[in-house]
């Protein structure tokens, strides 16, 4: 039996803010892992986060590691003008290309957790040149149409993928 090989790339900041803005809760990474695992073997799983050094974030990063992700951290940079820098677009792009071009890994499917339209060209290239199935998980109203269109499949973040606090009524 041929088992699909899957690579998962999680844009943690993008997912955190879009899920929080749209659903007022957190994303359920354990449920994602469970859903994706049913479709094949997860051979690469990278979660990209910003390191602010606080304890809550360290605990969250440990949860991701326990699920099976390799957590990549980048320092949070506060600029003099008050703005901040902390995105992983280039890092995710390079890692995704390295993964799909690696003859030892041989992935069939790439799962991207992000609504960021900057990744549309990347997904088009993966599908066109490498015949890789690309699945995007994102919040529908906060995901770029260009990204949704570029993916082989778009899966909305809803239902069990949301960590809702139980209602105490």
């Amino acid at each position: 039996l041929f088992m699909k090989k899957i690579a998962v790339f999680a844009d943690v900041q993008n997912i955190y803010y879009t899920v929080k803005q749209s659903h007022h809760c957190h994303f359920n990474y354990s449920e994602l892992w469970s859903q994706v695992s049913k479709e094949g073997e997860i051979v690469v799983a990278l979660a990209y986060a910003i390191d602010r050094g606080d304890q809550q974030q360290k605990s969250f990063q440990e949860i991701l590691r326990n699920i099976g992700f390799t957590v990549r951290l980048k320092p949070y940079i506060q600029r003099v003008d008050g703005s901040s820098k902390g995105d992983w677009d280039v890092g995710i792009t390079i890692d995704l290309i390295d993964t799909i071009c690696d003859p030892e890994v041989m992935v069939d499917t790439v799962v991207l957790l992000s609504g960021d339209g900057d990744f549309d060209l990347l997904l088009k290239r993966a599908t066109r040149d490498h015949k890789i199935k690309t699945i995007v998980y994102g919040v529908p109203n906060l995901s770029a149409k260009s990204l949704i269109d570029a993916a082989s499949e778009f899966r909305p973040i809803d239902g069990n993928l949301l960590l809702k606090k139980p209602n105490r009524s």
Side-chain angles (χ1 to χ4, degrees), residues 35-75:
Q35 286 182 21
V36 173
S37 294
K38 289 179 182 134
E39 298 177 44
E41 181 192 0
I42 298 173
V43 293
V44 173
L46 297 170
Y48 301 84
I50 302 306
D51 186 10
R52 286 191 169 88
D54 69 69
Q55 200 45 54
Q56 195 177 357
Q57 277 200 320
K58 285 190 168 88
S59 302
F60 168 68
Q61 291 156 9
E62 200 49 43
I63 291 167
L64 288 176
R65 288 185 189 98
N66 291 335
I67 292 170
F69 284 94
T70 297
V71 178
R72 297 265 169 99
L73 294 173
K74 183 182 263 194

Side-chain angles (χ1 to χ4, degrees), residues 1-8 31-43 108-111 133-137 153 155 161:
L1 183 70
F2 173 70
M3 187 89 157
K4 278 203 173 92
K5 288 187 175 184
I6 303 169
V8 180
E31 177 60 25
L32 170 89
W33 192 276
S34 150
Q35 286 182 21
V36 173
S37 294
K38 289 179 182 134
E39 298 177 44
E41 181 192 0
I42 298 173
V43 293
D108 309 287
T109 306
V110 163
V111 173
K133 179 179 181 182
T134 54
I135 301 169
V136 168
Y137 281 83
E153 192 180 324
R155 296 182 183 169
L161 290 171

Side-chain angles (χ1 to χ4, degrees), residues 19 26-29 31-33 35 137 155-163:
V19 170
H26 293 290
F27 181 74
N28 188 339
Y29 284 89
E31 177 60 25
L32 170 89
W33 192 276
Q35 286 182 21
Y137 281 83
R155 296 182 183 169
I157 293 175
D158 55 20
N160 291 343
L161 290 171
L162 300 173
L163 276 176

Side-chain angles (χ1 to χ4, degrees), residues 128-159:
R128 186 191 71 213
D129 296 356
H130 298 275
K131 310 296 179 248
I132 304 275
K133 179 179 181 182
T134 54
I135 301 169
V136 168
Y137 281 83
V139 174
N141 56 326
L142 297 173
S143 295
K145 184 182 180 321
S146 63
L147 182 69
I148 295 170
D149 293 344
S152 313
E153 192 180 324
F154 177 79
R155 296 182 183 169
I157 293 175
D158 55 20

